[in-house]
Amino acid sequence: MATTTEAPPIRPPDTTRRRRRIAARPAAWIVWGVVVFFFLNLLGVVASVLVSSFGQSWFDTWLPDGYTTSWYARAWDEFALLSVIVVTLEVSVLVVGLSLLIGVPAAYALARRSFPGKRLVFLVFLLPILMPPITYGIPLATVLYKFGLAGNMSGVVLANLVPSVPFVILTMTPFIEQIDPRIESAARMCGAGLRTVFLRVLTPLLVPGILAAAILVLVRTVGMFELTFLTAGPDSQTLVVALYYSMSASGIRAQQSVDAMAVIYTSMMLVLLVVALRYVNPTQLVAQVKDEPEH
Amino acid sequence: MSGAGPDRPLAHWRHRLAERGVDRQLWLLVPALVFVVALFVYPFCYGLTLSFQPTNGGPFSDYARFFSDAYERGTIWITLRIALPAALLNVLAAVPIAYRMRGRFRGKRLVTTVLVVPITLGTVLTAQGLLNFLGPTGWFNRILLATHLVDEPVRLTHNYWGVFFSLVITGFPFAFLLVLSYLSGIDPTLERAAATLGADWRRRFTQVTLPLLMPGLATTFCLTFVLAFSVFPSAVLVGNPAGETRVISLAAYQAAYERYDYPYASAIAMIMGFVELVIIAVVLAARSRFYTGSTGGKG
C-alpha cells in the first residue's frame, strides 16, 4: 500500500479499510521509530565530536565548561595538517586522473564488444572490489616495498588505484551502454578514426558519467583507510591515516584536538558529498552498479 | 587494414580473429588488464607463494602455526561473530524500512541524503564519535542514568558492542540504499495484480515481493559482509584489540608490521580471503536458487 504519511483518502470508511489501518499503524510506527532512533544516535555521535572540538574542558558533565576555537589552531600546528591536506589532495587528484585514463577505455571495450573470455575479464575486474582491502593490501604492500615503491606517494597512489580502476569501469559501463552505437557508426562513416570518435564524439556525451565516476573515486580515495595505511610513509599520510595515528596515540595529545581534526576531515568529506549529490542520485547509482555482475 | 600480397596469411589470421570479436579495438582493454594483473593478480600470487615459503619449517608450517595456536585460530571465529550478525542485522532492518519508503513521499530525497552521510564519515570518525557518545560519561549513558533505566553506566565501548555499533552505523545506510534501489526496481503492477486476485498485504509481500527481492538481498548481504569482514580501524579504536575484538585483519597486520614476518602475514591474508570467499560462495549459491531475471521495473 501507499505510505501512511499522506492525507487519508476521501472514501467512505468501510470495514475492510478500517481493518487494514489498524493492522498497518503499529508496523508503521515501529518502522519510523527505528529510523528516528537510528538518526538520533547518529546525530549524537556526530554532535559529540563537534561539541567536544569546541569545548574548553569536558569531564562528566552534559556540556563543556566553555567554548573555544583554540583546538583547531593546535590541531593545525601539532599534526602539520596543511601538509597532510596537501598530500591528501595530491593523492586524490592523481588517483582520479589515472583511474579515469585507464578505466574509461576499458569500460568502452567491455560495454560495446563481446569476445571470448569476456566473463573472465569481468571477474578479474570485479575481484578487487569484492576482496577486503587488507587481504590483498598486505601482499601488495610487500611487493611495493620490494620494488622500493611503498613508503612514499607513488606507493599510496598505486595502491589506491587498485580498487579505483575497477570501480571506474563498473560505473562507466552502464553510461556507455546508454549511448546509441549508431552515433559512433555515423562518425566512423564520415571518416573519423577511433581516436577522433573518442575525443570528439564519445567524451562530450560521457561527461556526466565521467564526472560521477570521478567524484565517487575521489570520495573513496579520501576515505580509504586500509590501503593508504599499509603503504604510506611518514610524509605521505592522508588525512584519515593521520587521524588514525593521532587517535591511537591519544593518551599523549588532548582529546579535543583529535576531535578538531576529525571535524576538519568530516567537513572535507561533506563538501565532497554535497558536490557529489549534485551529479549523482545515490539510489539510481547503486541500481546501475548492481546490474553489472549479471552480464 | 593490410592489403598487399605478402601480408595475406596475416590478414587471413586477423580476419578469423575479427569474426570471433577480437580486433584492434580490444587494445583499449590492455592498459586496465596490465594494471590489474601487475597490481592485483601478481601481488596476490606473490603473497600466495610467499605464504608457502616460511622463514623456518616446511611449506605448510605457517598455516599449521596459525591453526595450532588457539589465540590466532580464534580470530576467524571472532571476526565472523562480529561480521555475520552485523551484516545480517543491516540487511534485515533495511527491508521493512525500505518497503515502507519505496513509494513517493515528501522528504524522501532528504532521508536518502541524510543516510548517505554515515558512509562518508568513515570508520575512523565513527570510532571517535562512538567513544564520545557511548562512553561512560557520554550522552547516551547520561540519558539512561537520568531516566533511571540503569543504575550505573553501561559499558558499550572498548568491547564487542562498540565494534558492532560502528559496523551498523557505517553498514546500515549502505544496505538500505541498495535494498531501496532493488525494491524500486520491482514493477509495482505485479503487486497490484496480486491485490486484484485477493491477496492481502502479507501474502503480497511474502509471495510476490519477497521472492523477487531475494537475489537483491543476497547481493546486499555479500557487499555488507565484505565491508564488515574487513573491519580494522574500529576494532582497534572502539574495540578491545587484545581480546574479544582481535579480528583476523588485525592478526595479519601485526604479523606484517610489528613482527615483520611477511610469509606468515601473507598466510593469514590468504586464510582471510579464503574464509570470506567461502561465505560469499555459499550465499551466491543460495541466490542462484531464486528467480534472477527481469523484475519489470526501471532496474
Side-chain angles (χ1 to χ4, degrees):
Chain A
M1 279 288 94
T3 53
T4 49
T5 49
E6 282 165 9
I10 317 154
R11 244 195 336 168
D14 56 62
T15 47
T16 56
R17 209 198 86 198
R18 184 166 297 160
R19 205 172 62 226
R20 185 185 305 135
R21 277 187 65 156
I22 292 166
R25 270 291 161 86
W29 279 111
I30 290 170
V31 166
W32 285 110
V34 169
V35 173
V36 168
F37 183 72
F38 180 80
F39 276 141
L40 276 182
N41 283 302
L42 186 65
L43 189 73
V45 166
V46 177
S48 59
V49 175
L50 195 65
V51 170
S52 170
S53 73
F54 283 108
Q56 262 168 357
S57 67
W58 190 9
F59 299 106
D60 211 13
T61 44
W62 281 95
L63 286 171
D65 302 333
Y67 295 93
T68 171
T69 52
S70 64
W71 297 113
Y72 285 86
R74 274 184 70 170
W76 191 266
D77 295 335
E78 265 180 41
F79 304 121
L81 276 189
L82 184 66
S83 66
V84 171
I85 289 176
V86 168
V87 167
T88 311
L89 289 179
E90 280 173 356
V91 167
S92 317
V93 168
L94 277 173
V95 168
V96 169
L98 285 174
S99 60
L100 285 179
L101 270 182
I102 302 174
V104 173
Y108 176 80
L110 279 175
R112 282 283 190 259
R113 310 302 309 268
S114 74
F115 50 90
K118 186 176 171 179
R119 291 175 70 92
L120 182 72
V121 170
F122 223 99
L123 184 71
V124 170
F125 286 139
L126 203 64
L127 269 180
I129 295 185
L130 273 185
M131 296 288 268
I134 290 268
T135 314
Y136 63 86
I138 286 180
L140 176 66
T142 316
V143 168
L144 288 176
Y145 272 113
K146 197 175 76 169
F147 291 109
L149 285 168
N152 50 38
M153 277 266 287
S154 57
V156 176
V157 171
L158 283 177
N160 273 297
L161 276 175
V162 173
S164 303
V165 168
F167 196 74
V168 168
I169 294 176
L170 289 188
T171 328
M172 287 302 293
T173 315
F175 278 103
I176 294 172
E177 278 169 349
Q178 282 169 13
I179 294 177
D180 194 340
R182 281 175 298 182
I183 298 177
E184 287 157 53
S185 309
R188 294 301 278 269
M189 245 184 62
C190 298
L194 188 60
R195 186 180 312 179
T196 324
V197 170
F198 240 90
L199 292 180
R200 305 277 301 273
V201 180
L202 279 177
T203 310
L205 286 171
L206 280 179
V207 164
I210 290 178
L211 269 180
I215 287 163
L216 287 168
V217 169
L218 189 68
V219 171
R220 276 177 68 106
T221 309
V222 175
M224 169 56 80
F225 172 76
E226 285 92 347
L227 291 175
T228 316
F229 180 61
L230 291 176
T231 50
D235 50 356
S236 53
Q237 289 175 9
T238 60
L239 200 49
V240 211
V241 177
L243 186 60
Y244 174 83
Y245 278 122
S246 70
M247 264 187 82
S248 50
S250 60
I252 313 162
R253 303 228 163 73
Q255 171 85 20
Q256 285 96 328
S257 63
V258 177
D259 285 326
M261 188 162 162
V263 171
I264 294 175
Y265 168 73
T266 315
S267 33
M268 194 165 154
M269 284 299 266
L270 270 181
V271 170
L272 284 180
L273 176 77
V274 169
V275 175
L277 283 176
R278 286 187 63 93
Y279 296 100
V280 190
N281 177 2
T283 53
Q284 185 196 359
L285 187 94
V286 193
Q288 283 168 345
V289 172
K290 129 227 147 177
D291 283 342
E292 285 321 298
E294 277 141 34
H295 273 271
Chain B
M1 284 189 234
S2 54
D7 278 350
R8 212 172 166 76
L10 186 71
H12 187 60
W13 167 76
R14 269 192 179 162
H15 191 77
R16 279 176 59 179
L17 274 181
E19 268 177 357
R20 303 189 57 192
V22 180
D23 61 18
R24 286 192 307 170
Q25 262 192 17
L26 287 190
W27 283 104
L28 292 171
L29 265 179
V30 169
L33 269 182
V34 168
F35 174 82
V36 168
V37 168
L39 283 175
F40 182 73
V41 179
Y42 169 67
F44 206 84
C45 295
Y46 178 81
L48 192 64
T49 50
L50 196 65
S51 72
F52 290 119
Q53 297 163 356
T55 35
N56 41 25
F60 292 100
S61 65
D62 266 345
Y63 289 93
R65 199 167 122 206
F66 181 85
F67 284 108
S68 60
D69 186 349
Y71 188 56
E72 300 281 282
R73 188 187 349 139
T75 56
I76 296 181
W77 169 238
I78 286 175
T79 315
L80 289 180
R81 207 170 72 99
I82 297 173
L84 279 178
L88 209 59
L89 175 78
N90 286 339
V91 174
L92 290 185
V95 173
I97 299 174
Y99 191 69
R100 188 102 351 236
M101 289 191 187
R102 86 210 125 116
R104 289 171 177 278
F105 61 91
R106 254 183 311 157
K108 182 174 179 177
R109 194 169 166 89
L110 180 77
V111 171
T112 46
T113 308
V114 174
L115 272 170
V116 186
V117 171
I119 298 178
T120 64
L121 290 183
T123 37
V124 181
L125 184 104
T126 315
Q128 178 76 346
L130 282 173
L131 285 180
N132 288 355
F133 180 68
L134 292 179
T137 60
W139 285 335
F140 190 77
N141 268 316
R142 286 190 166 277
I143 292 170
L144 286 187
L145 286 173
T147 50
H148 296 291
L149 283 171
V150 291
D151 293 329
E152 54 185 67
V154 189
R155 205 163 153 266
L156 291 170
T157 52
H158 297 297
N159 61 8
Y160 175 85
W161 291 108
V163 184
F164 187 81
F165 289 133
S166 96
L167 287 180
V168 170
I169 286 186
T170 41
F172 172 73
F174 183 72
F176 171 79
L177 289 178
L178 270 169
V179 171
L180 186 64
S181 75
Y182 280 113
L183 260 178
S184 44
I186 295 175
D187 192 343
T189 50
L190 292 174
E191 239 185 286
R192 257 179 266 148
T196 51
L197 293 172
D200 60 358
W201 74 268
R202 195 166 301 155
R203 277 193 74 188
R204 285 202 302 273
F205 181 73
T206 53
Q207 300 199 345
V208 179
T209 312
L210 197 59
L212 289 174
L213 187 63
M214 273 321 268
L217 285 188
T219 313
T220 313
F221 178 82
C222 283
L223 293 174
T224 324
F225 175 72
V226 170
L227 279 184
F229 191 75
S230 57
V231 49
F232 178 74
S234 57
V236 178
L237 299 172
V238 257
N240 175 11
E244 59 179 327
T245 67
R246 186 170 183 269
V247 290
I248 189 164
S249 47
L250 189 59
Y253 170 77
Q254 284 174 341
Y257 287 79
E258 286 171 17
R259 277 174 272 142
Y260 301 105
D261 189 348
Y262 293 109
Y264 188 47
S266 305
I268 300 180
M270 293 303 141
I271 295 169
M272 182 179 168
F274 179 75
V275 171
E276 192 222 40
L277 287 182
V278 164
I279 301 238
I280 289 190
V282 168
V283 175
L284 289 184
R287 176 186 189 269
S288 64
R289 298 171 58 98
F290 292 100
Y291 170 77
T292 52
S294 158
T295 45
K298 63 163 190 183

